[in-house]
Amino acid sequence: MSDLAWGLQMTVLGMGLVFGLLALLWGLLTLVQRLDRSADGGPVTDTDASASTADVEALAADAVAALAGPAPASQVAGEAPPRVQGMDAELVAAILVATLRHRAILRREAAPATRRYWPGSMLVVSRWVGAGRSRQNSSWQRRSR
Amino acid sequence: MAGNTFDHLQVLRDMRSKAVLGGGVKRIEQQHARGKLTARERLALLLDAGSFQEFGALATHQVNSFGLDKQRYPGDGVITGFGKVNGRRVAVYAQDFTVLGGSFSEVQAQKISRIQDLAIESGIPFIGLNDSGGARIQEGVRSLAAYGEVFVRNVMASGVIPQISLILGPCAGGAVYSPALTDFVIMAGDSYMFLTGPDVIQAVTGEQVTAQDLGGADVHTGRSGVAHLAADTEVAGLALAKLLLSYLPQNNNEDPPQITPDDPPNRMDEALNSLIPNNESEPYDMRDAIVAIFDHDSFLEVQPHFAPNAVIGFARLDGYSVGIVANQPSCMAGALNIDASDKISRFIRTCDAFNVPLVTFVDCPGYLPGVDQEYGGVIRHGAKIIFAYCEATVPKISIVTRKAMGGAYVAMGSKQMRTDLAFAWPTAQIAVMGAEPAVRVLYRDDVKNAADPAARERELVAAYREEFFNPYRAADLGQIDEVIEPRETRPRLARALEILRTKVQQNPPKKHGLSPT
């Protein structure tokens, strides 16, 4: 019986230790997250990297609108600069310009994300074209007959 | 080589480390001091991150004469291998100027030939980054034979896989022929290429000229037409190569990549309807029409400074790659001359080889008259355009925007040149020659004997214009398939190319045609 009691004690102690440490870790992570948010000046909403161009452009429009609004007057009055989704609007505008520029370069270079099919796959070539190309490129061969 | 596995591995790692350094840290610093990147830095910029697979990194020459036995570097002055550009497999070589000035050797040829063979067999583009002082003189005839090994593979690969050469430093003597045999030459930075350098020229002819004035990018993109594109920096040059590749397929059996279009094919640009000036002698920029018609930000002009009276380049329509040939009315009224004929015919054959449909914009008063042109062989040069159009089996569409006169009309994608569809804008003028010269030929006596010759001539010129200076007579005869509003051009082209996408046309069996030279 004493062994069972000792076993229960050890179980409670062990599990308590584990859960206690987990709780401590959770607390630490929450603290770090809060500190991180306060350093950034507010919550930042994630913008999905694969967002469509329209979404990015809409975000850019927000940034432009924020910058084009009463920002100069408010800045003169000593107020904080305009913000979009928790970030400095000018920073958002700069990031978005760079993003759009990068997208344009990828498009011009036909990067994988902008392509309809993988080069070399021949997936979109019909039998007519496949056989025709073969004939076109074989004009120098003697016809067998 | 005795030792345990770790020793063997250590030897390999040491050799690889040495190969990565090329000619050594000091020479790399010298290369940077000249404002140039090293071969490996260039490859890192060109290829997708982590995609490069090198071959022959440890190869060295076996020549001992002239002190070469003390100058053995792993790789022997060239880095060869395979990588990816925007996910597309490519074969690539980069000459390393830090190793014996990148001089071309037997081992270099073996390494380059090896990847050329594999590129042809695998059907993947071949890109060469040239930065070499020329043949390795110490190797004698070995280095000359080495050039031949590369040349023959350049020719075998021609029309099978796209070949792009970047000139990123010196390229002299026999070394110039390999880039010249490839499909596109891009010069970047302070690079230059010539057969005989300034010193030899001064010794032989007494002429004094600098390397840049003799063979710099300005010379070869503007006067000689040897180079197709130029960039101020190596980084920009490498980006141009990537851009150019995006319009080309992996090989002659495949199509260029199609991107998801972001520009509606039915978009109509109203500005096109007012592009042609009311005064028929007034120039306009054909590039304005091209930019308005094709997908937004997709036009890449090739050889923009050579023969500017013709415009050639790639663009996309509904995401598909298209080759564009056009006269440029803002330069020499768009007349065709020797250089323009060479430029156009070469481009047509390039597009035909790589399954890129051709769209031709015609505004050409004819071939340029002149003694120099005739003496220079404008007949045989002009015939190249006809040869190229007739030979091409890719979809071909022409649009007459304004003048289409005489032989130039026939040459520039008329129906008889096996053009699939011929459009014309209402401003088109399709005739054998201009009104004034035609009247002088046809009605010489009539005008001479008239009471008021000037008035009679004006009357006859007006009648000639009424009769021929429109697209409708040609449309009556079936030479023009449809007269369209300029703003309709984009949707019309998109639909026409959609129909013609599966076009198959076969030329008669032969070894090869005999194109005028």
Side-chain angles (χ1 to χ4, degrees), chain A residues 77-139:
Chain A
E79 291 180 15
R83 306 185 77 77
V84 174
Q85 301 203 7
M87 288 192 289
D88 189 329
E90 285 195 30
L91 179 63
V92 173
I95 291 169
L96 289 167
V97 166
T99 307
L100 291 170
R101 175 81 183 133
H102 182 60
R103 278 173 185 269
I105 290 170
L106 290 181
R107 171 164 288 281
R108 290 201 81 196
E109 290 185 354
T114 64
R115 286 203 292 259
R116 281 216 162 156
Y117 64 93
W118 202 251
S121 63
M122 300 285 283
L123 284 176
V124 295
V125 175
S126 66
R127 289 185 183 187
W128 174 263
V129 173
R133 293 267 166 82
S134 181
R135 284 203 309 278
Q136 284 178 336
N137 293 333
S138 303
S139 66

Side-chain angles (χ1 to χ4, degrees), chain B residues 152-410:
Chain B
V152 71
R153 285 166 177 82
N154 283 138
V155 175
M156 291 301 109
S158 181
V160 180
I161 53 172
Q163 300 183 88
I164 299 173
S165 294
L166 285 105
I167 313 299
L168 305 170
C171 186
V176 299
Y177 285 122
S178 179
L181 288 167
T182 58
D183 305 322
F184 294 97
V185 176
I186 300 170
M187 296 185 74
D190 292 329
S191 60
Y192 54 85
M193 45 190 316
F194 42 66
L195 269 174
T196 50
D199 295 341
V200 178
I201 287 178
Q202 188 174 7
V204 175
T205 68
E207 293 169 293
Q208 287 189 330
V209 65
T210 64
Q212 277 299 322
D213 288 342
L214 184 63
D218 289 345
V219 173
H220 287 311
T221 54
R223 295 188 67 173
S224 72
V226 168
H228 298 82
L229 294 162
D232 292 335
T233 63
E234 292 184 24
V235 176
L238 292 162
L240 260 181
K242 292 165 80 167
L243 182 59
L244 182 60
L245 195 62
S246 73
Y247 295 96
L248 300 169
Q250 290 292 89
N251 56 60
N252 64 339
N253 263 312
E254 292 176 12
D255 289 317
Q258 186 217 355
I259 63 171
T260 310
D262 66 344
D263 199 355
N266 289 330
R267 172 177 60 79
M268 293 193 203
D269 194 331
E270 295 293 334
L272 283 169
N273 276 0
S274 53
L275 179 70
I276 307 293
N278 291 329
N279 181 352
E280 66 181 53
S281 302
E282 200 176 314
Y284 62 94
D285 194 337
M286 188 62 91
R287 284 174 296 204
D288 292 341
I290 293 167
V291 168
I293 290 168
F294 293 92
D295 287 356
H296 169 68
D297 197 28
S298 72
F299 180 49
L300 172 66
E301 188 172 0
V302 177
Q303 291 186 308
H305 306 299
F306 176 66
N309 45 326
V311 176
I312 59 170
F314 295 103
R316 289 196 176 84
L317 188 59
D318 201 21
Y320 288 95
S321 183
V322 176
I324 297 165
V325 174
N327 304 115
Q328 176 56 288
S330 65
C331 180
M332 294 163 55
L336 291 171
N337 62 352
I338 290 171
D339 286 347
S341 301
D342 287 353
K343 176 177 170 176
I344 289 173
S345 57
R346 164 83 178 175
F347 187 72
I348 293 167
R349 300 193 82 186
T350 305
C351 290
D352 185 44
F354 293 120
N355 307 316
V356 180
L358 277 164
V359 176
T360 306
F361 292 88
V362 187
D363 186 349
C364 182
Y367 281 95
L368 184 70
V371 175
D372 287 346
Q373 289 292 309
E374 295 292 345
Y375 285 1
V378 69
I379 295 172
R380 62 187 167 85
H381 288 283
K384 289 179 193 173
I385 298 180
I386 299 172
F387 195 98
Y389 268 122
C390 292
E391 188 185 42
T393 57
V394 288
K396 288 174 285 186
I397 299 173
S398 68
I399 300 136
V400 181
T401 59
R402 194 165 61 177
K403 294 173 186 170
M405 302 285 175
Y409 158 66
V410 181

